[in-house]
Amino acid sequence: AQKVTQAQTEISVVEKEDVTLDCVYETRDTTYYLFWYKQPPSGELVFLIRRNSFDEQNEISGRYSWNFQKSTSSFNFTITASQVVDSAVYFCALSEALFSGGGADGLTFGKGTHLIIQP
Amino acid sequence: DSGVTQTPKHLITATGQRVTLRCSPRSGDLSVYWYQQSLDQGLQFLIQYYNGEERAKGNILERFSAQQFPDLHSELNLSSLELGDSALYFCASSATGTSGPTDTQYFGPGTRLTVL
């Protein structure tokens, strides 16, 4: 069975600090997809990034960057120069490939990391 | 705005009752997913429909059922409601065609269900 672990329940930093959110996953499939979603206080779930298991290149999008390491089954998310608007709960999620033959196509979410950016 | 709409935003009902939550996917998306978010269980996948057919099931209770209509909107029916069913219910949609990799799921704003 697939599993996603976000060991950090809550992180609090002061604005402009860099912060890294950890995500460790377990899956038996060789083809899978990893996601990060943001849930601001308003409650909606906002898609941030998708990464497939064959692409280990790190990705940078503005102040956001993602580090995918298959060797350690981790997909960590770093926010550089954090801002108050980054305050939210961040979820890491895993999905096995649609035609892998195993498991549902629904996302398996971690418990989330509540990020608090203090002014 | 993800393009996925859900109604109603809030729903308050009593134990034992039945409710229906509605979801309209993004234009062109064929797959609809339902998720439950509660303090106890976190975010859990319930069920997926693709072009009107049930595609995958997650941790969905027998008291819950869903369907997807020809216009691709979906409804989640929750019956014999219990206090523990109080949660935020999300719908998501993706393109998910008949070939290719899993598409990204875009989430609606959710329906908050309170069972008293």
Side-chain angles (χ1 to χ4, degrees), chain A residues 35 37 45 93-95 104-109, chain B residues 6 21 32-38 42-48 58-60 64 76 78 87-94 102-108 110-111:
Chain A
F35 303 80
Y37 285 86
L45 279 166
L94 168 69
S95 177
D105 196 35
L107 296 170
T108 298
F109 283 89
Chain B
Q6 289 187 249
L21 313 184
V32 168
Y33 308 77
W34 286 97
Y35 291 84
Q36 179 195 60
Q37 184 178 31
S38 64
L43 265 164
Q44 285 201 104
F45 166 63
L46 297 179
I47 197 164
Q48 177 201 1
N59 299 320
I60 188 166
F64 295 1
L76 179 68
L78 316 176
L88 188 52
Y89 290 84
F90 285 106
C91 167
S93 75
S94 74
T102 300
D103 292 303
T104 297
Q105 294 178 32
Y106 293 91
F107 284 76
T111 293

Coordinates of all heavy atoms in Angstrom, one line a residue, chain A residues 35 37 45 93-95 104-109, chain B residues 6 21 32-38 42-48 58-60 64 76 78 87-94 102-108 110-111:
Chain A
F35 N 2.8 15.0 -5.8 CA 2.2 16.3 -5.9 C 2.4 17.1 -4.6 O 2.6 16.5 -3.5 CB 0.7 16.1 -6.0 CG 0.3 15.3 -7.3 CD1 0.3 13.9 -7.2 CD2 -0.2 16.0 -8.4 CE1 -0.1 13.2 -8.3 CE2 -0.6 15.2 -9.5 CZ -0.5 13.8 -9.5
Y37 N 0.2 20.2 -2.7 CA -1.0 21.1 -2.7 C -0.9 22.0 -1.5 O -0.3 21.7 -0.4 CB -2.3 20.3 -2.6 CG -2.7 19.6 -3.8 CD1 -2.2 18.3 -4.1 CD2 -3.6 20.2 -4.7 CE1 -2.6 17.7 -5.3 CE2 -4.0 19.5 -5.9 CZ -3.5 18.2 -6.1 OH -3.8 17.6 -7.3
L45 N -8.0 23.7 -1.9 CA -6.8 23.0 -2.1 C -6.2 23.5 -3.4 O -6.9 23.4 -4.5 CB -7.0 21.5 -2.2 CG -7.1 20.8 -0.8 CD1 -7.6 19.4 -1.0 CD2 -5.7 20.7 -0.2
A93 N 1.3 14.5 -1.8 CA 0.4 13.5 -2.2 C 1.1 12.6 -3.2 O 2.0 13.0 -3.9 CB -0.9 14.0 -2.7
L94 N 0.6 11.3 -3.3 CA 1.2 10.3 -4.2 C 0.1 9.6 -4.9 O -1.0 9.4 -4.4 CB 1.9 9.3 -3.3 CG 2.4 8.0 -3.9 CD1 3.5 8.2 -4.9 CD2 2.8 7.0 -2.9
S95 N 0.3 9.4 -6.2 CA -0.6 8.6 -7.0 C 0.1 7.6 -7.9 O 1.1 8.0 -8.5 CB -1.4 9.6 -7.9 OG -2.3 8.9 -8.8
A104 N -5.9 2.3 -6.5 CA -6.9 3.3 -7.0 C -6.1 4.4 -7.6 O -4.9 4.6 -7.3 CB -7.7 3.8 -5.8
D105 N -6.8 5.2 -8.4 CA -6.1 6.4 -9.0 C -6.3 7.6 -8.1 O -5.8 8.7 -8.5 CB -6.8 6.6 -10.4 CG -5.9 7.6 -11.2 OD1 -4.7 7.5 -11.1 OD2 -6.5 8.4 -11.9
G106 N -6.9 7.4 -6.9 CA -7.0 8.6 -6.1 C -5.7 8.9 -5.4 O -4.8 8.1 -5.4
L107 N -5.6 10.1 -5.0 CA -4.3 10.6 -4.3 C -4.3 10.1 -2.9 O -5.3 10.1 -2.2 CB -4.3 12.1 -4.3 CG -4.2 12.8 -5.7 CD1 -4.4 14.3 -5.6 CD2 -2.9 12.5 -6.3
T108 N -3.1 9.7 -2.5 CA -2.8 9.4 -1.1 C -2.1 10.6 -0.5 O -1.0 10.9 -1.0 CB -2.0 8.1 -0.9 OG1 -2.7 7.0 -1.5 CG2 -1.7 7.9 0.5
F109 N -2.7 11.2 0.5 CA -2.2 12.5 1.0 C -1.4 12.2 2.3 O -1.8 11.3 3.1 CB -3.3 13.5 1.4 CG -3.8 14.2 0.2 CD1 -4.9 13.7 -0.5 CD2 -3.3 15.4 -0.2 CE1 -5.4 14.3 -1.6 CE2 -3.8 16.1 -1.3 CZ -4.9 15.6 -2.0
Chain B
Q6 N -18.6 23.4 -6.5 CA -19.3 22.5 -5.6 C -20.4 23.3 -4.9 O -20.2 24.4 -4.5 CB -18.3 22.0 -4.5 CG -17.3 21.0 -5.1 CD -16.5 20.4 -3.9 OE1 -15.3 20.7 -3.8 NE2 -17.1 19.6 -3.1
L21 N -24.4 16.1 -2.2 CA -23.4 17.1 -2.5 C -23.2 17.0 -4.0 O -23.1 16.0 -4.6 CB -22.1 16.8 -1.8 CG -22.1 16.5 -0.3 CD1 -20.7 16.4 0.2 CD2 -22.9 17.5 0.4
V32 N -14.0 12.6 -12.3 CA -14.3 13.3 -11.0 C -13.9 12.4 -9.9 O -14.1 11.2 -9.9 CB -15.8 13.6 -11.0 CG1 -16.3 14.1 -9.6 CG2 -16.2 14.7 -12.0
Y33 N -13.4 13.1 -8.8 CA -12.9 12.4 -7.6 C -13.6 13.0 -6.4 O -13.8 14.2 -6.4 CB -11.4 12.5 -7.4 CG -10.6 12.1 -8.6 CD1 -10.5 13.0 -9.7 CD2 -9.9 10.9 -8.7 CE1 -9.7 12.7 -10.8 CE2 -9.1 10.6 -9.7 CZ -9.0 11.5 -10.8 OH -8.2 11.2 -11.9
W34 N -13.9 12.2 -5.4 CA -14.4 12.7 -4.2 C -13.5 12.4 -3.0 O -13.0 11.3 -3.0 CB -15.8 12.2 -3.9 CG -16.9 12.7 -4.7 CD1 -17.4 12.2 -5.9 CD2 -17.6 13.9 -4.5 NE1 -18.4 13.0 -6.4 CE2 -18.6 14.1 -5.6 CE3 -17.6 14.9 -3.5 CZ2 -19.4 15.1 -5.7 CZ3 -18.4 16.0 -3.6 CH2 -19.3 16.1 -4.7
Y35 N -13.2 13.4 -2.2 CA -12.4 13.2 -1.0 C -13.1 13.8 0.2 O -13.9 14.7 0.1 CB -11.1 14.0 -1.2 CG -10.2 13.5 -2.3 CD1 -10.3 13.9 -3.6 CD2 -9.1 12.7 -1.9 CE1 -9.5 13.4 -4.6 CE2 -8.2 12.2 -2.9 CZ -8.4 12.6 -4.2 OH -7.6 12.1 -5.2
Q36 N -12.7 13.2 1.4 CA -13.2 13.6 2.7 C -12.0 14.2 3.5 O -11.0 13.5 3.6 CB -13.9 12.5 3.4 CG -14.4 12.8 4.8 CD -14.8 11.6 5.6 OE1 -13.9 10.8 5.9 NE2 -16.1 11.5 5.9
Q37 N -12.2 15.3 4.1 CA -11.1 15.8 5.0 C -11.7 16.0 6.4 O -12.6 16.8 6.6 CB -10.6 17.2 4.5 CG -9.4 17.7 5.3 CD -8.8 19.0 4.8 OE1 -9.5 19.8 4.2 NE2 -7.5 19.2 5.0
S38 N -11.2 15.3 7.3 CA -11.6 15.4 8.7 C -10.4 15.5 9.6 O -9.3 15.1 9.2 CB -12.5 14.2 9.1 OG -11.7 13.0 9.1
G42 N -7.7 13.0 8.3 CA -7.0 13.8 7.2 C -7.8 13.7 5.9 O -9.0 13.6 5.9
L43 N -7.0 13.9 4.8 CA -7.6 13.9 3.5 C -7.7 12.4 3.0 O -6.6 11.8 2.8 CB -6.8 14.7 2.5 CG -7.2 16.2 2.3 CD1 -6.1 17.0 1.7 CD2 -8.5 16.2 1.5
Q44 N -8.9 11.9 2.7 CA -9.0 10.6 2.2 C -9.8 10.5 0.9 O -10.8 11.1 0.7 CB -9.8 9.7 3.2 CG -9.0 9.4 4.5 CD -9.7 8.2 5.2 OE1 -9.2 7.1 5.1 NE2 -10.8 8.5 5.8
F45 N -9.2 9.7 0.0 CA -9.9 9.5 -1.3 C -11.1 8.6 -1.1 O -11.0 7.5 -0.4 CB -8.9 8.8 -2.2 CG -9.5 8.2 -3.5 CD1 -10.2 9.0 -4.4 CD2 -9.4 6.9 -3.7 CE1 -10.7 8.5 -5.6 CE2 -9.9 6.3 -4.9 CZ -10.6 7.1 -5.8
L46 N -12.2 9.0 -1.7 CA -13.5 8.2 -1.5 C -13.7 7.4 -2.8 O -13.9 6.1 -2.7 CB -14.6 9.1 -1.2 CG -14.6 9.8 0.1 CD1 -15.8 10.7 0.3 CD2 -14.4 8.9 1.3
I47 N -13.9 8.1 -3.9 CA -14.3 7.4 -5.1 C -14.0 8.2 -6.4 O -13.9 9.4 -6.3 CB -15.8 7.0 -5.1 CG1 -16.2 6.0 -6.1 CG2 -16.6 8.3 -5.2 CD1 -17.6 5.4 -5.8
Q48 N -13.8 7.5 -7.5 CA -13.5 8.2 -8.8 C -14.5 7.7 -9.8 O -14.8 6.5 -9.9 CB -12.1 7.9 -9.2 CG -11.8 8.5 -10.6 CD -10.6 7.9 -11.3 OE1 -10.0 6.9 -10.8 NE2 -10.2 8.4 -12.4
G58 N -12.0 4.2 -3.0 CA -11.0 4.3 -1.9 C -11.8 3.9 -0.6 O -12.5 2.9 -0.5
N59 N -11.6 4.7 0.4 CA -12.2 4.4 1.7 C -13.6 4.9 1.9 O -14.0 5.6 2.8 CB -11.4 5.0 2.9 CG -10.0 4.4 2.9 OD1 -9.8 3.3 2.7 ND2 -9.0 5.3 3.1
I60 N -14.5 4.5 1.0 CA -15.9 5.0 1.0 C -16.7 4.0 1.7 O -16.7 2.8 1.6 CB -16.4 5.2 -0.5 CG1 -17.7 5.9 -0.4 CG2 -16.4 3.9 -1.3 CD1 -18.2 6.5 -1.8
F64 N -22.4 5.6 1.8 CA -22.1 6.7 0.8 C -22.2 6.1 -0.6 O -21.7 5.0 -0.8 CB -20.7 7.3 1.1 CG -20.5 8.0 2.4 CD1 -21.6 8.1 3.3 CD2 -19.3 8.6 2.7 CE1 -21.4 8.8 4.5 CE2 -19.1 9.3 3.9 CZ -20.1 9.3 4.8
L76 N -22.5 13.2 -4.7 CA -22.1 12.3 -3.7 C -23.3 12.3 -2.7 O -23.7 13.3 -2.2 CB -20.8 12.8 -3.0 CG -20.3 12.0 -1.8 CD1 -19.8 10.6 -2.3 CD2 -19.2 12.7 -1.1
L78 N -24.8 10.9 0.8 CA -24.4 10.4 2.2 C -25.7 10.2 2.9 O -26.6 11.1 3.1 CB -23.6 11.5 2.9 CG -22.5 12.2 2.1 CD1 -21.8 13.3 3.0 CD2 -21.5 11.2 1.6
A87 N -17.4 16.8 8.1 CA -16.1 16.9 7.5 C -16.3 17.9 6.3 O -17.4 18.4 6.0 CB -15.7 15.6 6.9
L88 N -15.1 18.2 5.7 CA -15.1 19.0 4.5 C -15.0 18.0 3.3 O -14.1 17.1 3.3 CB -13.9 19.9 4.5 CG -13.7 21.0 3.4 CD1 -14.9 21.8 3.3 CD2 -12.5 21.8 3.8
Y89 N -15.9 18.0 2.4 CA -15.9 17.1 1.3 C -15.5 17.8 0.0 O -16.1 18.8 -0.4 CB -17.3 16.5 1.1 CG -17.7 15.5 2.2 CD1 -18.2 16.0 3.4 CD2 -17.4 14.2 2.1 CE1 -18.5 15.1 4.4 CE2 -17.7 13.3 3.1 CZ -18.2 13.8 4.3 OH -18.5 12.9 5.3
F90 N -14.4 17.3 -0.6 CA -13.9 18.0 -1.8 C -14.2 17.1 -3.0 O -14.2 15.9 -3.0 CB -12.4 18.1 -1.7 CG -11.9 19.2 -0.8 CD1 -11.3 18.9 0.4 CD2 -11.9 20.5 -1.2 CE1 -10.8 19.9 1.2 CE2 -11.4 21.5 -0.4 CZ -10.9 21.2 0.8
C91 N -14.4 17.8 -4.1 CA -14.5 17.2 -5.4 C -13.3 17.7 -6.2 O -12.9 18.8 -6.0 CB -15.8 17.6 -6.1 SG -15.9 17.3 -7.8
A92 N -12.7 16.8 -7.0 CA -11.6 17.2 -7.9 C -11.9 16.7 -9.3 O -12.7 15.7 -9.4 CB -10.3 16.6 -7.4
S93 N -11.3 17.3 -10.2 CA -11.5 16.8 -11.6 C -10.2 16.7 -12.3 O -9.2 17.5 -12.0 CB -12.5 17.6 -12.4 OG -12.0 18.8 -12.8
S94 N -10.1 15.9 -13.3 CA -8.9 15.8 -14.1 C -9.3 15.4 -15.5 O -10.4 14.8 -15.7 CB -7.8 14.8 -13.6 OG -8.2 13.5 -13.8
T102 N -1.3 9.7 -15.4 CA -2.3 10.3 -14.5 C -2.3 11.8 -14.6 O -1.2 12.4 -14.6 CB -2.0 9.9 -13.0 OG1 -2.1 8.5 -12.9 CG2 -3.1 10.5 -12.1
D103 N -3.4 12.4 -14.8 CA -3.5 13.9 -14.9 C -3.5 14.5 -13.6 O -3.9 13.9 -12.6 CB -4.7 14.3 -15.7 CG -4.5 13.8 -17.2 OD1 -3.6 14.2 -17.8 OD2 -5.4 13.1 -17.7
T104 N -3.3 15.8 -13.5 CA -3.4 16.5 -12.3 C -4.8 16.7 -11.9 O -5.7 17.0 -12.7 CB -2.7 17.9 -12.5 OG1 -1.3 17.7 -12.8 CG2 -2.9 18.8 -11.2
Q105 N -5.1 16.6 -10.6 CA -6.4 16.8 -10.1 C -6.5 18.2 -9.6 O -5.7 18.6 -8.7 CB -6.7 15.8 -9.0 CG -6.8 14.3 -9.5 CD -7.0 13.3 -8.4 OE1 -7.6 13.6 -7.4 NE2 -6.4 12.1 -8.6
Y106 N -7.6 18.9 -10.0 CA -7.8 20.2 -9.5 C -9.1 20.2 -8.7 O -10.1 19.6 -9.0 CB -8.1 21.2 -10.7 CG -6.8 21.3 -11.5 CD1 -6.5 20.5 -12.6 CD2 -5.9 22.3 -11.2 CE1 -5.3 20.7 -13.3 CE2 -4.7 22.5 -11.9 CZ -4.4 21.7 -13.0 OH -3.3 21.8 -13.7
F107 N -9.0 20.8 -7.5 CA -10.0 20.7 -6.5 C -11.0 21.8 -6.5 O -10.6 23.0 -6.7 CB -9.3 20.6 -5.1 CG -8.7 19.2 -4.8 CD1 -7.5 18.9 -5.4 CD2 -9.3 18.3 -4.0 CE1 -6.9 17.6 -5.2 CE2 -8.8 17.1 -3.8 CZ -7.6 16.7 -4.4
G108 N -12.2 21.5 -6.1 CA -13.2 22.5 -5.9 C -13.0 23.1 -4.5 O -12.2 22.7 -3.7
G110 N -14.9 22.8 -1.9 CA -15.4 22.0 -0.9 C -16.8 22.3 -0.3 O -17.3 23.4 -0.5
T111 N -17.4 21.3 0.3 CA -18.7 21.5 1.0 C -18.4 21.1 2.4 O -18.0 20.0 2.7 CB -19.8 20.6 0.4 OG1 -20.1 21.0 -0.9 CG2 -21.0 20.6 1.3

